[in-house]
């Protein structure tokens, strides 16, 4: 194996991704993180000046805010960086950390239990935020100053810290249209024009993804290889069912099977001819109502879907086949 091949193999083994962001974007991320921590420091000490001069002055800032700053300013469009992940992840983890310290004080394994439970709880409440683990850990190993705060730790410093860094993330990223935060604002203000199926003449390639990620000019928390593999698996999955429903049944849910902003799920309210009524309950134009002939609706619908307990939609036949 040649030296370049060995280096490539080593890069892949270590997970070193080729960076597609421009230098300006990197500097913006660094400056944003700096301002985020300044906001945390300033707002916390302004809100609790009596603590700043007291014995708990050293506990006014949670060190996990440094990790949150990386996510909010370097990966503002990432799922782990969104407001619910930040707020829920930190506060939930802080509550669990304090509770574990109160229940099992002085044990070597208390910190491990706190972090493990925090990860489990964040999973179930859909607010996974990696710095939350550090917030739970700090509640246990932070020393007597932190322990003395009891559940007040959730308010000061955690909630105040979170409010400060979130406010700065919203304000700072709003200065740059391609970084608007939360991610929903970016998607709403930056619509992607749809391509008609007839206009798609070529299969997507690895090079297409690389070019698209470079054009995006933002750090994406997924490798290019995993992204292309995910697309290929999705295409294979879609090819299993390319027919439209045989019949449209009142009370059931149907999807058009499209991607991104074009995806939509409709609930059939009335299914009698000559026209049926429906309501959009997921995807584009959620909450709107409309009507169509049974044939028109059938041509629009790709397949029937059912809502799962985890909030995701699944093809009805696959949901039935599940054990």
């Amino acid at each position: 194996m040649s030296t370049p091949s060995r280096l490539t193999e080593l890069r892949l083994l270590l997970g070193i991704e080729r960076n597609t962001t421009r230098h300006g974007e990197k500097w913006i991320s660094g400056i944003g993180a700096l301002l985020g921590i300044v906001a945390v420091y300033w707002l916390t000490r302004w809100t609790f000046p009596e603590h700043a001069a007291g014995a708990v002055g050293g506990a006014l800032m949670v060190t996990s805010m440094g990790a949150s700053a990386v996510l909010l300013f370097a990966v503002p469009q990432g799922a782990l960086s969104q407001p619910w992940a930040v707020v829920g992840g930190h506060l939930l983890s802080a509550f669990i950390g304090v509770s574990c310290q109160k229940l099992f004080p002085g044990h070597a394994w208390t910190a491990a239990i706190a972090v493990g439970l925090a990860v489990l709880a964040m999973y179930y409440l859909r607010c996974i935020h990696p710095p939350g683990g550090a917030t739970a850990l700090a509640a246990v190993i932070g020393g007597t100053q932190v322990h003395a705060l009891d559940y007040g730790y959730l308010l000061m410093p955690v909630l105040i810290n979170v409010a400060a860094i979130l406010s700065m993330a919203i304000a700072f990223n709003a200065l740059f249209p391609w970084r608007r935060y939360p991610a929903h604002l970016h998607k709403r203000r930056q619509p992607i024009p749809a391509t008609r199926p007839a206009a798609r003449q070529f299969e997507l390639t690895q090079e297409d993804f690389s070019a698209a990620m470079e054009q995006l000019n933002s750090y994406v928390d997924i490798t290019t290889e995993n992204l292309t593999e995910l697309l290929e698996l999705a295409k294979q999955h879609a090819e299993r069912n390319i027919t439209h429903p045989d019949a449209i049944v009142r009370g059931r849910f149907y999807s058009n099977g499209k991607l991104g902003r074009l995806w939509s799920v409709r609930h059939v309210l009335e299914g009698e001819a000559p026209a049926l009524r429906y309501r959009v309950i997921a995807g584009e134009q959620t909450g709107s109502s409309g009507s169509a002939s049974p044939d028109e609706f059938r041509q629009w619908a790709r397949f029937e879907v059912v809502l799962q307990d985890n909030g995701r939609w699944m093809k009805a036949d696959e949901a039935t086949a599940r054990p």
Side-chain angles (χ1 to χ4, degrees), residues 267-288:
H267 180 207
V268 179
L269 304 176
E270 296 179 8
E272 292 80 8
L276 56 80
R277 293 180 57 252
Y278 62 83
R279 184 174 181 82
V280 181
I281 61 170
E284 189 72 3
Q285 297 182 339
T286 296
S288 63

Side-chain angles (χ1 to χ4, degrees), residues 45-65:
R45 291 182 176 264
W46 177 79
T47 307
F48 298 100
E50 67 281 4
H51 291 301
V56 297
L60 285 178
M61 290 179 62
V62 185
T63 55
S64 55
M65 288 301 128

Side-chain angles (χ1 to χ4, degrees), residues 211-269:
M213 291 175 70
E214 184 173 354
Q215 183 178 353
L216 184 62
N217 192 30
S218 179
Y219 185 85
V220 181
D221 192 20
I222 184 173
T223 64
T224 307
E225 290 77 10
N226 285 343
L227 191 60
T228 53
E229 181 181 3
L230 183 64
L231 176 67
E232 182 60 32
L233 290 174
K235 287 164 55 182
Q236 293 176 11
H237 186 271
E239 289 169 358
R240 298 175 192 168
N241 183 6
I242 58 175
T243 60
H244 297 280
D246 293 330
I248 304 300
V249 182
R250 177 181 177 181
R252 296 187 181 180
F253 304 88
Y254 298 88
S255 168
N256 62 358
K258 296 185 181 297
L259 295 174
R261 293 176 58 87
L262 300 179
W263 173 71
S264 180
V265 173
R266 294 176 178 178
H267 180 207
V268 179
L269 304 176

Side-chain angles (χ1 to χ4, degrees), residues 2-255:
S2 62
T3 299
S5 298
R6 291 194 184 95
L7 291 177
T8 299
E9 184 67 21
L10 180 61
R11 178 182 67 81
L12 295 174
L13 183 63
L14 296 177
I16 303 175
E17 275 286 285
R18 288 189 173 90
N19 202 312
T20 59
T21 55
R22 303 183 184 93
H23 293 295
E25 181 69 10
K26 296 170 185 175
W27 277 89
I28 290 173
S29 299
I31 294 172
L34 183 154
L35 294 176
I37 297 303
V38 167
V40 171
Y41 180 88
W42 177 83
L43 181 60
T44 306
R45 291 182 176 264
W46 177 79
T47 307
F48 298 100
E50 67 281 4
H51 291 301
V56 297
L60 285 178
M61 290 179 62
V62 185
T63 55
S64 55
M65 288 301 128
S68 290
V70 175
L71 290 171
L72 289 171
F73 296 99
V75 199
Q77 305 301 319
L80 304 181
S81 307
Q82 300 314 298
W84 170 237
V86 179
V87 176
H90 277 297
L91 291 180
L92 182 63
S93 298
F95 176 80
I96 291 174
V98 172
S99 299
C100 288
Q101 174 59 29
K102 290 173 67 68
L103 291 172
F104 314 109
H107 295 284
W109 38 264
T110 303
I113 290 180
V115 174
L117 289 177
V119 172
L120 187 65
M122 285 190 287
Y123 251 122
Y124 277 105
L125 292 184
R126 305 178 188 180
C127 56
I128 295 181
H129 188 60
T135 299
L137 185 64
V140 177
I141 68 172
T144 56
Q145 292 183 359
V146 173
H147 298 164
L149 296 174
D150 202 56
Y151 286 107
Y153 174 70
L154 276 70
L155 172 62
M156 194 290 291
V158 176
L159 181 59
I160 300 301
N161 283 191
V162 167
I165 201 166
L166 268 180
S167 299
M168 181 55 72
I170 294 171
F172 180 80
N173 288 318
L175 299 175
F176 312 96
W178 65 94
R179 293 174 58 98
R180 295 191 189 279
Y181 178 86
H184 177 68
L185 295 180
H186 171 75
K187 295 174 183 177
R188 191 178 66 187
R189 300 187 184 188
Q190 300 289 327
I192 300 175
T195 302
R196 297 191 305 272
R200 297 188 186 276
Q201 301 178 11
F202 304 101
E203 191 74 14
L204 291 176
T205 67
Q206 187 86 7
E207 291 76 13
D208 293 326
F209 272 104
S210 298
M213 291 175 70
E214 184 173 354
Q215 183 178 353
L216 184 62
N217 192 30
S218 179
Y219 185 85
V220 181
D221 192 20
I222 184 173
T223 64
T224 307
E225 290 77 10
N226 285 343
L227 191 60
T228 53
E229 181 181 3
L230 183 64
L231 176 67
E232 182 60 32
L233 290 174
K235 287 164 55 182
Q236 293 176 11
H237 186 271
E239 289 169 358
R240 298 175 192 168
N241 183 6
I242 58 175
T243 60
H244 297 280
D246 293 330
I248 304 300
V249 182
R250 177 181 177 181
R252 296 187 181 180
F253 304 88
Y254 298 88
S255 168

